[in-house]
Amino acid sequence: MKKYAIGIDLGGRSIKFGLFTEDGELVNKSTVNTRIDDGGKYILSDAYDHILKIMEKHDLNSTNLMGIGMGVPGSVTQQRYVNKAVNLGWDFVDIKEYFDDKLDLKILVENDANVAALGEAWVGVAKDYQSIVMVTLGTGVGGGIIVDGKILSGKHGSGGEIGHMPLLKEPLSRTCGCGNNRCFEQVASATGIENIALDYLFENEEDSILREVENITAKDIFDAFEKNDHAAMNIADQYFSHLARGLAIIAAVVDPEAFVLGGGVSNAGDLLLDNVRTYYKKYCFVNNRDVDIKIAALGNDAGIYGAAKLVL
Amino acid sequence: MKKYAIGIDLGGRSIKFGLFTEDGELVNKSTVNTRIDDGGKYILSDAYDHILKIMEKHDLNSTNLMGIGMGVPGSVTQQRYVNKAVNLGWDFVDIKEYFDDKLDLKILVENDANVAALGEAWVGVAKDYQSIVMVTLGTGVGGGIIVDGKILSGKHGSGGEIGHMPLLKEPLSRTCGCGNNRCFEQVASATGIENIALDYLFENEEDSILREVENITAKDIFDAFEKNDHAAMNIADQYFSHLARGLAIIAAVVDPEAFVLGGGVSNAGDLLLDNVRTYYKKYCFVNNRDVDIKIAALGNDAGIYGAAKLVL
């Protein structure tokens, strides 16, 4: 008998569902909108309704369905309790309790960044590794740490919250979403490189293609870099250096086999990898020099893969 | 039948042996000198001879002795292979292989800082916690990370090598033992605060008790601080800030329940704790605010405790 698992990625805009075989084959993928009104109180019932549809359509029951895993954008403890998920409008939710009343199935929950890391370590770019750190370079910087195949969740479900490492000795003039002003994500996220650009162009008189761009994005900066725009190269250089130093710090703490870079900025591909690797080797402890740095392979599907893997 | 374990702490000057009951009671403690001549080739045979003595004296055999754990000052992988232990004169040593020929007992090896952390988490100041980071503030800064009761060893046996996190964006003029010049231990070790003092007294004209001290130690600085010496207070303040920012970074990565501070500098006790806690709360991510920071309880015995715990 073939066995299956459902992986769910709860996002602020949509809830993604993936049905997987034990071997990591994605059988079916579907999406419903996230209703965040009224404190997000419809989210779990919407998810439950859709789970029932998937189960019916694919003839699944408590014998051939090994369970349901879920990634949530918030802190998760004991693989069930969500403590604040701002994007969902949630304060405190016990997800296991909600589903235990309705389904005779294993339900396991983890933070979404951790779950994405698990997905990459299962069937993605890191599938040959046991211990990795996934770094998601988007609006913020998310992190997921896998040690010997298992998620490092931490006491408060904040393991791998690397975006809020106080990387900088001197505070920035801008304040991070978390209230601090020395955060890794303030200089290593997509927003981070955009802010580095704004400061650079304000402080320097230098000509640059970027001066003609109205809302400068990370992509604009890397495009200008490829055209040998000197200002863009200096801006990107600052960014690479910050990012690489952050990775070198993390490596000294957890000594992983590989870093996996995901999120929008990782679309820069080799330009990002080559430069970050160079700075990484400069900053890292000698024992961590051979750590691989790779671009994520599963894109937005990493979450559903990793969520399914939780219960397999 | 009572069960026992032997914990061994291999140091550059002495080999410490502890005989423990399963419950963590220290039955007997003994020490032999470390012979580091000829590439440290006598160390394991000396240890073996002493193990036999302990076994004979306490009527131990493969039935009532659950095994032997060992802490080694170097990188250890797969709880048996030592890759370079400079203080012992070792290059590569397979410790399990050496003992397997001679003893019918479980032999497990780990890095000494990791083992000390395990000791504190077993019966020391962190005995009520499952996940801690031990930070040893000595000549350098050592680290040991325990996650859910288990050592985070890392791919190269360098998990918790926090002394070599590149904490500083701007390089220091001095070079660290590891060859880099941005290391946490360069500003957070006993040597670190001494160097901060030298720089401070050179760059400032201010009067200070410390100007009359020939070789300034961490203790001199904290003593002067207690006497309200302004320079000493500024020096210590820089030190506390660096140390606390390092802890806040580590907390964002592994989200532990507690930090345990050991090593010579931790003798400063409350003066250290109060100031580090204040800066820690300023720098840390909001979810990590309630992490406890404590002074280690087992002192130099942490190693033998943790080593024994490896096999229990």
Side-chain angles (χ1 to χ4, degrees), chain A residues 75 131 145 147-148 150 152-162 164-170 178 180 182 242 244-245 248-257 281-291, chain B residues 75 131 145 147-148 150-162 164-169 178 180 182 242 244-245 248-257 281-291:
Chain A
S75 299
S131 298
I145 301 175
V147 176
D148 296 332
K150 286 174 65 180
L152 194 164
S153 301
K155 184 200 174 186
H156 310 85
S158 306
E161 272 287 1
I162 56 173
H164 300 289
M165 296 189 297
L167 184 78
L168 303 165
K169 179 168 177 282
E170 301 305 330
C178 77
N180 288 348
R182 292 174 167 86
H242 285 303
R245 190 162 66 85
I249 284 177
I250 298 163
V253 179
V254 298
D255 186 17
E257 293 171 272
K281 282 196 173 23
K282 177 177 171 185
Y283 294 139
C284 76
F285 180 46
V286 55
N287 287 18
N288 304 126
R289 276 185 71 93
D290 69 351
V291 173
Chain B
S75 300
S131 299
I145 301 175
V147 176
D148 295 332
K150 286 174 63 180
I151 291 172
L152 195 165
S153 300
K155 183 199 173 188
H156 309 86
S158 306
E161 271 288 0
I162 55 172
H164 301 288
M165 298 190 296
L167 184 78
L168 304 165
K169 178 168 178 282
C178 76
N180 287 347
R182 292 174 167 85
H242 285 302
R245 190 162 67 85
I249 285 176
I250 298 164
V253 179
V254 299
D255 185 18
E257 293 170 273
K281 284 195 171 25
K282 176 177 171 185
Y283 293 140
C284 75
F285 180 47
V286 55
N287 288 18
N288 304 125
R289 275 186 72 91
D290 69 351
V291 172

Side-chain angles (χ1 to χ4, degrees), chain A residues 233-301:
Chain A
M233 291 170 85
N234 283 340
I235 292 161
D237 192 62
Q238 285 184 40
Y239 176 79
F240 297 138
S241 170
H242 285 303
L243 175 55
R245 190 162 66 85
L247 300 186
I249 284 177
I250 298 163
V253 179
V254 298
D255 186 17
E257 293 171 272
F259 286 101
V260 176
L261 308 184
V265 176
S266 72
N267 293 327
D270 285 343
L271 176 66
L272 176 73
L273 281 185
D274 292 347
N275 286 285
V276 169
R277 280 177 183 148
T278 302
Y279 272 115
Y280 175 81
K281 282 196 173 23
K282 177 177 171 185
Y283 294 139
C284 76
F285 180 46
V286 55
N287 287 18
N288 304 126
R289 276 185 71 93
D290 69 351
V291 173
D292 291 324
I293 304 178
K294 304 195 160 195
I295 301 286
L298 301 175
N300 289 332
D301 287 345

Side-chain angles (χ1 to χ4, degrees), chain B residues 123-297:
Chain B
V123 291
V125 71
K127 69 171 184 289
D128 297 327
Y129 303 106
Q130 287 299 301
S131 299
I132 64 155
V133 178
M134 177 150 181
V135 181
T136 309
L137 306 165
T139 318
V141 172
I145 301 175
I146 308 294
V147 176
D148 295 332
K150 286 174 63 180
I151 291 172
L152 195 165
S153 300
K155 183 199 173 188
H156 309 86
S158 306
E161 271 288 0
I162 55 172
H164 301 288
M165 298 190 296
L167 184 78
L168 304 165
K169 178 168 178 282
E170 301 304 330
L172 295 164
S173 55
R174 296 177 181 86
T175 301
C176 181
C178 76
N180 287 347
N181 47 14
R182 292 174 167 85
C183 291
F184 184 45
E185 77 172 32
Q186 290 188 276
V187 288
S189 62
T191 321
I193 192 171
E194 288 156 23
N195 285 332
I196 293 171
L198 294 179
D199 291 346
Y200 185 92
L201 295 171
F202 181 78
E203 286 159 16
N204 294 273
E205 305 257 303
E206 210 175 337
D207 261 357
S208 169
I209 311 174
L210 295 172
R211 295 203 184 273
E212 283 131 57
V213 182
E214 200 164 342
N215 291 304
I216 299 172
T217 63
K219 184 168 185 308
D220 294 328
I221 298 160
F222 294 131
D223 286 349
F225 184 115
E226 305 266 29
K227 288 177 191 147
N228 293 317
D229 183 279
H230 192 255
M233 292 171 85
N234 283 341
I235 291 162
D237 193 63
Q238 285 185 40
Y239 175 80
F240 296 138
S241 171
H242 285 302
L243 174 55
R245 190 162 67 85
L247 300 186
I249 285 176
I250 298 164
V253 179
V254 299
D255 185 18
E257 293 170 273
F259 285 102
V260 176
L261 308 183
V265 176
S266 72
N267 293 328
D270 286 342
L271 176 66
L272 176 74
L273 281 185
D274 292 346
N275 286 285
V276 169
R277 281 177 183 148
T278 303
Y279 271 116
Y280 174 81
K281 284 195 171 25
K282 176 177 171 185
Y283 293 140
C284 75
F285 180 47
V286 55
N287 288 18
N288 304 125
R289 275 186 72 91
D290 69 351
V291 172
D292 291 324
I293 304 178
K294 303 196 160 195
I295 301 286

